[in-house]
């Protein structure tokens, strides 16, 4: 198998995993050599973050079990910046200082080539890099095991746990320890971060949508905020160009791309979501054979969340299809063009951006009526107060959140009023609430949204004074039509 000439000479290709080999190729593209690393120093490290607090606490607990072992334990941020390093072995500490694997230095792949924490962050997966598998010679005296720390709320990568020891030390348990520490850090972040629910991990689903089973898009779907970007995407598809649709999570990127494609051609659409890191190989084999088939378009969602080695594999397969097909049979989606991996960005001719729902208040009412009609298969009414509440809310999770709220409400009534809406839509942006605070807020909103209930009646039902209700409304940023908090 051919390797880039700058790859480590002493590592046998037969014993190197595809992920490490892909990392070598990336390291070469970054302009690194075996003799040169470029760890960048920053004068500021965020020691007040929840990641730093929880990660350091977990590693100090682990240190007690590894007191006599030459293992250096580190927490990094998602960019590879080393935030903390815990180790009582002076010899390995001094050695790591010489290669700049220390707090305040960036140690991502682009800075230090193939290494454990850089690979864990790039691929969003636990990684073990031993001795000669390191791209740069200065790191080949070490073995590094690292695992990404997942944000318990967003599910994204918050940073990593890295354990480094000498290359001739036993490393069998090192990766398991790193994974355990990363998992414990996520759990501690959830416990200390107001108890919010964790997001589900990616599963890599592949959905099929057949054009002949879909009706033409309804006018209510093509809301004012969508029309310009929809027309732009459809024009680019008609011209045979490869399109990326970008925007915040939940704005409807996949839906827009699918509707625009189906207006042009009666084709099958495959919607592909990012997989868990361990499932990348099976995920690619599942759907990439469909690329380039007649009357088939693949929408690959969230390419900015793909592991780095999967990005390279995907870019190669899309490049082959692009070279032979006239009309590009794929669409990519991401949060922004800047977040798209460069290998995939080169395979896109134009970028269409879908604005967030908070910038499209005129879209909220027609979308809400559309989702309610989908749920009940007939028109559902909305009170004036309900429409006012839905329109004034910021919708941090965008159209996806609006659809869930409306469908749940429409499932219970033919006329949606304030008391059918969840507490979240009456609450302005602010700090995360503890579970006790959230229960208190929800009870206040439940009372205030009962038809005909006054603030005084809500106060009596809750056993508190009117002044307390007004103070709590201000504290929790509660806005209920007709129940304005006192200032």
């Amino acid at each position: 198998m051919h390797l880039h000439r700058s790859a480590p000479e002493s590592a046998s290709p037969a014993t190197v995993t595809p992920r490490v080999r892909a990392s070598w190729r990336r390291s070469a593209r970054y302009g690194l050599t075996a003799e040169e690393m470029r760890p960048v120093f920053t004068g500021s490290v965020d020691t007040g973050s929840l990641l730093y607090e929880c990660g350091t606490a977990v590693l100090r607990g682990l240190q007690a079990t590894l007191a006599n072992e030459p293992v250096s334990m580190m927490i990094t941020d998602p960019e590879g910046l080393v935030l903390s390093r815990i180790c009582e072995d002076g010899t390995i500490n001094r050695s790591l200082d010489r290669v700049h694997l220390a707090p305040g230095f960036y140690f991502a792949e682009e800075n230090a080539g193939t290494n454990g924490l850089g690979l864990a962050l790039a691929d969003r997966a636990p990684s073990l890099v031993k001795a000669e598998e390191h791209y740069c010679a200065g790191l080949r005296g070490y073995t590094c095991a690292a695992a990404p720390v997942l944000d318990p709320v967003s599910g994204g990568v918050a940073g990593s746990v890295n354990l480094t020891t000498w290359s001739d030390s036993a490393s069998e348990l090192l990766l398991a320890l790193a994974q355990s520490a990363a998992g414990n850090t996520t759990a501690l972040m959830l416990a200390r971060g107001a108890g919010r629910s964790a997001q589900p991990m990616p599963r890599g689903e592949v959905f099929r949508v057949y054009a002949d089973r879909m009706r033409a898009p309804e006018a209510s779907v093509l809301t004012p905020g969508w029309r310009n970007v929809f027309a732009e995407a459809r024009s680019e598809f008609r011209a045979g160009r490869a399109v990326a649709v970008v925007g915040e999570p939940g704005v409807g990127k996949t839906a827009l791309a699918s509707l625009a494609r189906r207006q042009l051609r009666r084709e099958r659409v495959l919607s592909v979501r990012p997989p868990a890191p361990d499932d990348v190989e099976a995920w690619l084999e599942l759907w990439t054979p469909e690329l380039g088939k007649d009357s088939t378009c693949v929408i690959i969602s969230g390419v900015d969340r793909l592991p780095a080695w999967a990005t390279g594999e995907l870019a190669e397969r899309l490049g082959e299809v692009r070279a032979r097909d006239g009309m590009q049979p794929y669409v990519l989606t991401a949060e922004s063009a800047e977040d798209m991996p460069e290998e995939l960005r080169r395979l896109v001719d134009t970028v269409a951006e879908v604005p967030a729902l908070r910038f499209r208040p005129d879209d909220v009412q027609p979308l809400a009526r559309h989702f309610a009609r989908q749920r009940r298969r007939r028109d559902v009414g909305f009170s004036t107060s309900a429409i006012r509440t839905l329109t004034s809310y910021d919708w941090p999770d965008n159209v996806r959140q609006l659809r869930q709220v409306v469908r749940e409400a429409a499932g219970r009534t033919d006329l949606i009023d304030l008391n059918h809406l969840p507490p979240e839509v009456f609450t302005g942006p602010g700090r995360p609430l503890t579970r006790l605070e959230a229960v208190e807020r929800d009870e206040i909103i439940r009372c205030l949204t009962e038809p005909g209930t006054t603030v005084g009646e809500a106060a009596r039902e809750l056993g508190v004074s009117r002044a307390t209700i007004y103070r709590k409304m201000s504290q929790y940023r509660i806005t209920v039509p007709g129940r304005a908090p006192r200032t």
Side-chain angles (χ1 to χ4, degrees), residues 88-110:
E88 295 181 346
D89 188 300
T91 302
I92 196 169
N93 277 339
R94 288 189 292 273
S95 178
L96 292 175
D97 285 342
R98 286 193 289 272
V99 296
H100 308 297
L101 186 46
F105 284 92
Y106 284 95
F107 231 74
E109 282 184 340
E110 55 263 44

Side-chain angles (χ1 to χ4, degrees), residues 9-225:
E9 298 293 340
S10 53
S12 167
T15 61
V16 173
T17 66
R19 287 180 57 207
V20 170
R21 193 175 298 112
S23 178
W24 287 348
R25 289 194 292 267
R26 293 194 298 271
S27 300
R29 288 201 301 272
Y30 293 139
L32 300 172
T33 67
E35 293 72 34
E36 181 189 13
M37 293 190 299
R38 294 195 297 265
V40 175
F41 179 74
T42 178
S44 60
V45 171
D46 184 6
T47 58
S49 68
L50 187 61
L51 169 68
Y52 178 92
E53 173 192 330
C54 296
T56 301
V58 168
L59 292 188
R60 290 202 183 281
L62 180 59
Q63 181 186 33
T65 67
L66 299 175
N68 298 319
E69 298 293 332
V71 177
S72 183
M73 298 172 287
M74 298 163 226
I75 292 290
T76 82
D77 76 0
E79 306 301 321
L81 173 65
V82 181
L83 302 178
S84 69
R85 189 180 72 186
I86 298 174
C87 181
E88 295 181 346
D89 188 300
T91 302
I92 196 169
N93 277 339
R94 288 189 292 273
S95 178
L96 292 175
D97 285 342
R98 286 193 289 272
V99 296
H100 308 297
L101 186 46
F105 284 92
Y106 284 95
F107 231 74
E109 282 184 340
E110 55 263 44
N111 306 116
T114 304
N115 69 90
L117 74 88
L119 186 57
L121 292 173
D123 281 352
R124 298 176 170 87
S127 304
L128 179 67
V129 177
K130 302 179 182 179
E132 304 299 331
E133 292 177 343
H134 286 91
Y135 188 82
C136 297
L139 300 179
R140 295 176 193 165
Y142 311 101
T143 288
C144 300
V149 175
L150 301 182
D151 185 290
V153 175
S154 70
V157 175
S160 75
V161 168
N162 177 55
L163 306 182
T164 296
T165 188
W166 303 115
S167 60
D168 56 359
S169 299
S171 61
E172 287 76 11
L173 293 178
L174 208 62
L175 185 58
L177 288 173
Q179 290 179 262
S180 176
N184 290 339
T185 299
T186 294
L188 190 56
M189 289 172 68
L190 179 62
R192 294 185 180 180
R196 297 172 67 186
S197 299
Q199 292 291 313
M201 294 299 104
R203 294 166 52 189
E205 295 102 334
V206 178
F207 297 95
R208 299 186 178 214
V209 182
Y210 291 87
D212 57 358
R213 298 180 188 174
M214 303 296 295
R215 294 179 298 174
E218 301 177 47
S220 61
V221 177
L222 298 180
T223 51

Side-chain angles (χ1 to χ4, degrees), residues 374-394:
Q374 275 188 331
R375 176 67 177 84
R376 295 299 290 265
R377 300 185 183 278
R378 61 179 183 271
D379 286 342
V380 174
F382 289 79
S383 72
T384 302
S385 295
I387 287 294
R388 191 184 313 147
T389 297
L390 294 175
T391 304
S392 60
Y393 184 55
D394 274 348

Side-chain angles (χ1 to χ4, degrees), residues 238-321:
R238 181 180 288 115
R241 299 189 181 97
V243 176
V245 183
V246 301
E248 293 179 6
V251 294
K253 300 184 290 292
T254 299
L256 182 141
S258 180
L259 287 172
R261 294 287 305 203
R262 291 203 304 269
Q263 274 207 349
L264 293 175
R265 303 179 61 186
R266 291 174 60 83
E267 65 184 356
R268 180 180 60 167
V269 175
L270 301 185
S271 177
V272 180
R273 295 179 180 176
D278 293 343
D279 297 334
V280 168
E281 189 170 355
W283 175 77
L284 286 169
E285 295 305 318
L286 174 65
W287 65 268
T288 53
E290 303 295 316
L291 280 169
K293 288 187 176 180
D294 290 341
S295 298
T296 297
C297 176
V298 181
I299 302 174
I300 309 161
S301 301
V303 296
D304 48 330
R305 301 195 304 273
L306 288 175
W309 82 272
T311 297
E313 292 287 328
L314 179 59
E316 184 175 342
R317 300 186 193 200
L318 293 182
E320 293 174 356
V321 173

